[in-house]
Amino acid sequence: MTTAPAAIDAEPAARMAGAALRVVVVNGSPSRPSKTMGLVDAVLDTLAGMLPIETSRIDVYRLGPGFTGAIERDDVTPDVEAAIRLAEEADLLVAATPVFHGSYPGMFKHFFDLVDQYALANKPVLLAATGGGDRHALVLEHAVRPLFAFFQALTVPVAFFASAGDFDGTVLLNPRVHGRIQMGLTDVVDLLRARATGTRTTPDA
């Protein structure tokens, strides 16, 4: 994208060949930078080595009062509407959230409360979460995956979790987590390649 609404960072990725996979990250972390985005960066870096991608990010905590004050979809401001549509129209949605008190934060849930009930049907969704300890990993299966089951989304079987000890600051260092990311994406890369609809950008000579 050449122009992004407020709180959306567009980062086109130029790769060698083929249609680009349009990846949209919904970031549920209030922190910037954050461990959650550190995990997502590792996922996107790995995925970019497998196929051409275009990435955009929606920071739900930075969407402003046009988002936080909206009860229904009709209440949102145009920039928030654009962010929601960006998520609905992605080839791959990355749902990334920190774990607070055994679940995802309210702002993360509020964003998906405004998404059309059928907009994510059969859409590939990759789940990622960070937490203070490994016990928080269960949130992915017991809270986040059921959320997208409601939307009838095609959630990727392998979800990615990293705990606080896996990072140096916000940089993911644990090789075991990197290994899980590599293995998990390898298992689904053919599916994702088939879903790519973006236009590949060509690097400057």
Side-chain angles (χ1 to χ4, degrees):
M1 296 181 61
T2 55
T3 304
I8 303 175
D9 295 331
E11 304 168 351
R15 293 294 176 257
M16 290 185 296
L21 185 76
R22 296 182 302 117
V23 182
V24 177
V25 178
V26 177
N27 173 29
S29 175
S31 302
R32 191 171 188 178
S34 69
K35 290 180 175 64
T36 300
M37 281 308 303
L39 173 60
V40 171
D41 287 343
V43 171
L44 295 180
D45 287 346
T46 303
L47 185 60
M50 299 178 174
L51 76 167
I53 65 173
E54 299 171 355
T55 65
S56 302
R57 185 175 81 228
I58 302 168
D59 296 314
V60 299
Y61 276 87
R62 288 169 175 79
L63 287 174
F67 166 67
T68 57
I71 297 175
E72 298 179 354
R73 180 73 170 260
D74 291 343
D75 300 330
V76 304
T77 53
D79 59 328
V80 177
E81 174 65 25
I84 296 171
R85 286 189 178 275
L86 184 67
E88 292 176 338
E89 295 170 2
D91 296 333
L92 170 66
L93 188 67
V94 178
T97 180
V99 178
F100 291 148
H101 298 291
S103 188
Y104 40 69
M107 288 287 196
F108 179 81
K109 176 59 163 59
H110 183 54
F111 182 85
F112 289 102
D113 286 341
L114 299 173
V115 168
D116 183 84
Q117 180 177 351
Y118 301 107
L120 305 184
N122 200 38
K123 183 183 298 296
V125 177
L126 188 152
L127 310 180
T130 56
D134 290 343
R135 68 188 184 281
H136 291 131
L138 292 173
V139 169
L140 284 166
E141 303 303 326
H142 294 283
V144 186
R145 197 177 297 277
L147 171 63
F148 291 97
F150 167 80
F151 288 106
Q152 302 175 54
L154 183 63
T155 53
V156 175
V158 177
F160 303 122
F161 177 85
S163 62
D166 296 324
F167 294 87
D168 179 4
T170 59
V171 178
L172 181 66
L173 293 183
N174 191 328
R176 290 180 296 176
V177 180
H178 280 282
R180 289 199 297 270
I181 292 170
Q182 181 74 41
M183 182 180 300
L185 292 178
T186 298
D187 288 344
V188 297
V189 68
D190 288 341
L191 166 66
L192 298 181
R193 185 178 288 110
R195 297 300 187 99
T197 64
T199 302
R200 180 179 64 86
T201 56
T202 303
D204 293 334

